[in-house]
C-alpha cells in the first residue's frame, strides 16, 4: 500500500471515530443531590474520571420530588439522581454500566438504579469492604437485573 492509499483508507475511519467520540462527550450529565451528602460528590468524581464527563450539579432539599417526577420506583431510591441523555440514573451506578446503557439503548428502559447505598459501590468505598449489589434496569412497569457486583 502506498501512503496515499493508506490515508484514503484511514480517513473515513478516523472521521467516524471522531464523530462517535464527540457524540459521547456531548451528552449532558445532570445530577440532583442533597447539599449535605458527601458520597454523592464522591460518586460524581467517579463518573467524571471514568466517563470523562462534565456534570451539572443541582442541589435540592426535596430530592424525592425529582425522583417522583422522573418515574423512579420508590423501592429503587438512593441518595442522588442523574439524568443522562434522557435516562434516569439513580444512586451509585458504576460508570461502565451507564456507558453500556448509552451504547446499547435497550428498548423500554427508563433508567438504571442501585437502591440504597451499598458499601463498595462507586462513591461508597470504605477500607476495601464491599457488599454485593445489583444494578437494576427499570421501565414503566418492570424491573430486571442489568449488572451484578459480588
Amino acid at each position: 500500500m502506498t501512503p496515499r492509499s493508506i490515508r484514503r483508507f484511514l480517513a473515513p475511519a478516523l472521521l467516524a471515530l471522531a464523530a462517535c467520540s464527540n457524540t459521547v462527550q456531548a451528552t449532558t450529565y445532570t445530577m440532583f443531590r442533597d447539599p449535605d451528602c458527601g458520597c454523592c460528590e464522591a460518586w460524581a468524581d467517579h463518573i467524571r474520571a471514568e466517563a470523562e464527563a462534565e456534570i451539572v450539579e443541582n442541589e435540592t432539599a426535596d430530592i424525592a420530588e425529582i425522583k417522583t417526577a422522573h418515574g423512579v420506583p420508590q423501592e429503587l431510591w438512593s441518595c442522588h439522581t442523574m439524568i443522562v441523555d434522557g435516562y434516569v440514573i439513580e444512586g451509585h451506578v458504576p460508570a461502565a454500566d451507564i456507558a453500556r446503557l448509552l451504547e446499547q439503548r435497550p428498548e423500554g428502559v427508563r433508567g438504571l438504579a442501585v437502591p440504597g447505598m451499598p458499601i463498595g459501590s462507586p462513591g461508597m468505598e470504605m477500607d476495601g469492604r464491599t457488599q454485593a449489589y445489583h444494578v437494576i434496569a427499570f421501565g414503566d412497569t418492570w424491573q430486571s437485573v442489568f449488572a451484578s457486583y459480588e
Side-chain angles (χ1 to χ4, degrees), residues 4-89:
R4 184 174 185 196
S5 64
I6 291 171
R7 281 192 304 272
R8 192 176 318 142
F9 173 77
L10 287 178
L14 291 174
L15 286 173
L17 182 60
C20 289
S21 175
N22 287 338
T23 299
V24 170
Q25 291 174 358
T27 300
T28 302
Y29 290 71
T30 304
M31 182 169 111
F32 299 90
R33 69 181 190 91
D34 185 289
D36 298 321
C37 186
C39 70
C40 297
E41 190 58 39
W43 179 76
D45 289 343
H46 162 77
I47 299 300
R48 285 183 189 98
E50 297 297 319
E52 298 180 359
E54 290 186 32
I55 299 173
V56 175
E57 292 188 40
N58 295 293
E59 294 181 347
T60 177
D62 193 2
I63 194 73
E65 180 181 339
I66 301 297
K67 296 170 188 315
T68 301
H70 289 286
V72 180
Q74 194 165 4
E75 66 272 15
L76 299 180
W77 284 12
S78 184
C79 56
H80 54 263
T81 304
M82 179 178 279
I83 308 302
V84 180
D85 204 22
Y87 291 104
V88 181
I89 307 300

Side-chain angles (χ1 to χ4, degrees), residues 92-107:
H92 294 263
V93 177
D97 293 321
I98 298 170
R100 186 173 124 207
L101 174 69
L102 294 174
E103 180 181 313
Q104 294 178 352
R105 299 188 177 279
E107 188 174 330

